[in-house]
Amino acid sequence: MAEKTDFLFTSESVTEGHPDKVCDQISDTILDSLLAVDPESRVACEALVTRGLGLVAGEITSRAQIDIPSLVRQVIREVGYTKSEYGFHCCESAVLTAVQKQSADIALGVDAGGAGDQGLMFGYACDETREKMPLPITLAHALARRLAEVRKKGIVPYLRPDGKSQVTVRYRDGRPCEVICVVLAAQHDPGLKQSRIKADLTEKVIDRALPASLRSRDMKIFVNPTGSFVIGGPQGDTGVTGRKIIVDTYGGFSSHGGGCFSGKDPTKVDRSASYMARYLAKNIVAARLCRRCEIQLAYVIGKPQPVSIYLNTFGTGRVDEARILRLIRDEFDLSPRAIIKTLDLRKPRYRPTACYGHFGRTEASFTWERTDQAEKFRTLA
């Protein structure tokens, strides 16, 4: 079947006050705190938040001693849940912990340098944006970031921490050409007219975050379509670590292996191999060997090298895919230990990844976003 070239595609993002994202931030803050003391920490940390309660569970083996309840409250405070009327408060909510050591059976494989679990991971890159990311998720993140910014700076003083964005892009001949629909869901104080909220967020969020050159002439804008979004955050919806994996990656534009990233130390290939696959795909696109590239890596627990490597350039390649695969196999060690060393993953750098995507970022700590291997791939061209 021929690949579609004319279509609509939609991606979404969420703010750091979304309950699932609160949990991702809690999990990665705990991970960072452990790695700061003991870089060899083994961490698989999950969080759950609901009205008046935060729960942390998982498996942790580390020489570090940390105060998990204090870290949980710190995250909740920094996100913005600091008022009792939000139904979830950094000081008034209970915090429970249920943490044990990593399974000795899992440790057998990791200690030997193998993967901590079986699984399949994907990385993707394309030339649609400067960040080598699909345009829909890039714009969705920009809107969600701006929505959080106007709240935290008091530009729109009645906003509360929870929020979502959604962007629909029209593609022609396989290339993005215009935005036809934008959706914002913004938690707010009671007693406000929807018309005011829509006017404020159109002016201060959409007009600032969405370039005019990308908008269709009849672009639709929906702001809080039900008319009210007062009850939100953990008061309105229970949050759990790892439920926003499509927001974390490519907005649904690429395949996903199913495993989440947050709360997992880099011996977990769910995280580290996904970062490595993105690193390879981005460098291949940066080398202009293709316009789109997807890479799958698959591992077996306890074994260091992937059992399979799959590469797809979707018919956009300038070089035979077999040649690119051969270079990857010859030049890159894809064992967990080598990935950790290549991308310098044992440092506490994970809290920032928990919001607005793990990919397409410019911060120096996002080492998997470097394009320092593009010249190596360029030799194939």
Side-chain angles (χ1 to χ4, degrees):
M1 182 182 294
E3 187 174 4
K4 288 184 178 181
T5 57
D6 294 358
F7 56 92
L8 303 179
F9 197 88
T10 302
S11 293
E12 70 164 355
S13 183
V14 297
T15 67
E16 57 255 48
H18 186 281
D20 293 329
K21 276 295 153 202
V22 172
C23 292
D24 287 344
Q25 291 171 90
I26 289 170
S27 294
D28 275 336
T29 297
I30 291 170
L31 172 62
D32 279 347
S33 298
L34 292 162
L35 293 176
V37 178
D38 179 8
E40 301 294 326
S41 296
R42 305 273 178 83
V43 185
C45 178
E46 316 289 341
L48 178 148
V49 294
T50 188
R51 182 170 186 158
L53 175 66
L55 171 65
V56 175
E59 296 75 48
I60 296 175
T61 300
S62 176
R63 297 191 302 272
Q65 299 292 320
I66 62 171
D67 184 346
I68 291 178
S70 293
L71 291 173
V72 173
R73 297 185 190 284
Q74 172 191 323
V75 171
I76 297 170
R77 182 182 303 108
E78 291 172 352
V79 167
Y81 287 106
T82 56
K83 297 182 180 180
S84 298
E85 56 263 36
Y86 293 170
F88 188 68
H89 189 281
C90 56
C91 297
E92 297 172 2
S93 298
V95 178
L96 305 178
T97 61
V99 175
Q100 58 186 333
K101 288 187 176 182
Q102 184 185 69
S103 161
D105 293 340
I106 294 175
L108 287 173
V110 178
D111 292 343
D117 199 356
Q118 69 178 52
L120 48 133
M121 299 83 204
F122 287 91
Y124 180 80
C126 62
D127 65 355
E128 292 181 14
T129 63
R130 178 180 55 191
E131 301 87 356
K132 302 292 185 289
M133 289 286 286
L135 182 62
I137 188 65
T138 300
L139 295 178
H141 285 323
L143 287 165
R145 277 183 178 276
R146 178 62 182 169
L147 183 59
E149 182 182 24
V150 299
R151 171 182 64 86
K152 290 187 284 190
K153 290 184 176 181
I155 297 171
V156 183
Y158 53 77
L159 291 180
R160 293 181 174 186
D162 198 358
K164 286 185 174 184
S165 65
Q166 184 173 288
V167 178
T168 301
V169 174
R170 185 188 306 279
Y171 282 72
R172 290 198 182 101
D173 297 324
R175 307 293 288 177
C177 63
E178 60 183 1
V179 177
I180 69 160
C181 182
V182 171
V183 183
L184 287 180
Q187 187 188 15
H188 57 85
D189 291 340
L192 291 158
K193 292 184 177 180
Q194 186 188 27
S195 58
R196 177 188 173 187
I197 298 171
K198 182 175 182 178
D200 286 347
L201 297 189
T202 298
E203 176 190 353
K204 295 178 172 63
V205 177
I206 296 173
D207 289 349
R208 289 288 299 272
L210 189 65
S213 60
L214 290 174
R215 306 181 195 186
S216 67
R217 285 184 296 179
D218 55 350
M219 185 182 80
K220 294 181 175 63
I221 296 175
F222 298 94
V223 176
N224 293 356
T226 64
S228 178
F229 185 11
V230 174
I231 300 172
Q235 179 186 23
D237 187 17
T238 296
V240 181
T241 297
R243 286 207 302 201
K244 286 291 175 282
I245 58 177
I246 301 303
V247 171
D248 287 341
T249 53
Y250 308 101
F253 213 93
S254 173
S255 305
H256 197 291
C260 76
F261 304 151
S262 290
K264 295 178 180 177
D265 76 84
T267 67
K268 311 295 190 297
V269 284
D270 276 339
R271 182 167 223 157
S272 55
S274 294
Y275 289 177
M276 189 66 182
R278 161 66 176 175
Y279 179 59
L280 293 170
K282 187 176 183 181
N283 276 272
I284 290 167
V285 172
R288 305 183 76 174
L289 300 187
C290 57
R291 291 193 294 107
R292 295 175 59 197
C293 181
E294 181 177 88
I295 293 175
Q296 183 202 61
L297 304 175
Y299 290 82
V300 174
I301 187 169
K303 303 299 181 182
Q305 295 297 330
V307 293
S308 71
I309 307 173
Y310 166 81
L311 183 143
N312 188 357
T313 59
F314 305 94
T316 68
R318 298 172 56 204
V319 175
D320 183 68
E321 292 177 357
R323 291 181 63 196
I324 303 174
L325 269 175
R326 189 159 53 247
L327 188 147
I328 292 173
R329 292 183 184 277
D330 291 345
E331 298 293 331
F332 295 91
D333 184 347
L334 299 178
S335 66
R337 282 180 178 173
I339 292 173
I340 289 168
K341 182 177 180 181
T342 298
L343 301 180
D344 195 19
L345 296 179
R346 289 210 180 273
K347 292 180 179 177
R349 59 182 56 199
Y350 297 106
R351 166 76 183 272
T353 70
C355 293
Y356 312 117
H358 292 243
F359 308 120
R361 305 284 288 271
T362 59
E363 299 94 319
S365 60
F366 287 67
T367 53
W368 49 95
E369 291 297 306
R370 299 178 310 205
T371 54
D372 55 342
Q373 300 299 318
E375 187 59 36
K376 182 179 290 185
F377 284 106
R378 201 173 287 122
T379 60
L380 292 178

